């Protein structure tokens, strides 16, 4: 019985180690993918109202729901929840300023 308990304990420790390694590998893949996407964004996109010389930090949006969106946290597996308070401002400046729509109103 003691040998079986020792074997079971050893198996549990090995399973925990394997799980930790797998979790670390997943986190590293996610972290690398986030960095790749942000690097591509920095090289190929201009974000209006930001400096071309010293742009502000860009964050990757992983998902959205209603008025909230969720940013990738490069340093962990958690997401950062943000309330979208800018969409109407952008729509008013870039979407509602269509001459034909303004004239029709």
């Amino acid at each position: 019985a003691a040998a079986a308990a020792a074997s079971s304990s050893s198996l549990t420790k090995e399973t925990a180690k394997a799980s930790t390694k797998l979790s670390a590998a997943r986190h590293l893949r996610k972290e690398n993918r986030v960095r790749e996407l942000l690097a591509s964004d920095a090289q190929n996109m201009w974000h209006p109202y930001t400096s071309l010389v010293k742009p502000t930090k860009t964050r990757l949006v992983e998902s959205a729901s209603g008025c909230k969106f969720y940013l990738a946290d490069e340093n962990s597996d958690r997401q950062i929840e943000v309330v979208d308070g800018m969409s109407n401002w952008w729509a008013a400046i870039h979407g509602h300023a269509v001459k034909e729509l303004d004239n029709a109103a």
Side-chain angles (χ1 to χ4, degrees):
S7 176
S8 176
S9 175
S10 176
L11 184 59
T12 302
K13 287 179 184 176
E14 290 302 316
T15 302
K17 284 181 185 177
S19 178
T20 300
K21 285 181 182 178
L22 182 60
S23 179
R26 284 182 183 144
H27 176 72
L28 184 59
R29 281 195 304 272
K30 177 186 174 186
E31 190 176 278
N32 288 338
R33 182 67 179 144
V34 168
R35 286 194 178 124
E36 288 172 8
L37 288 169
L38 292 175
S40 175
D41 180 271
Q43 288 182 336
N44 299 300
M45 297 294 294
W46 171 63
H47 295 269
Y49 307 107
T50 60
S51 170
L52 287 172
V53 179
K54 288 187 174 183
T56 57
K57 181 177 179 175
T58 303
R59 295 186 180 261
L60 180 69
V61 176
E62 288 188 325
S63 63
S65 178
C67 68
K68 295 180 182 176
F69 54 95
Y70 302 89
L71 307 175
D73 184 345
E74 297 172 51
N75 302 312
S76 75
D77 287 332
R78 70 182 186 93
Q79 293 180 324
I80 301 166
E81 182 181 272
V82 179
V83 174
D84 181 4
M86 297 288 290
S87 63
N88 187 46
W89 181 68
W90 284 97
I93 291 173
H94 299 292
H96 299 168
V98 176
K99 188 175 182 179
E100 293 81 8
L101 293 176
D102 290 345
N103 290 339

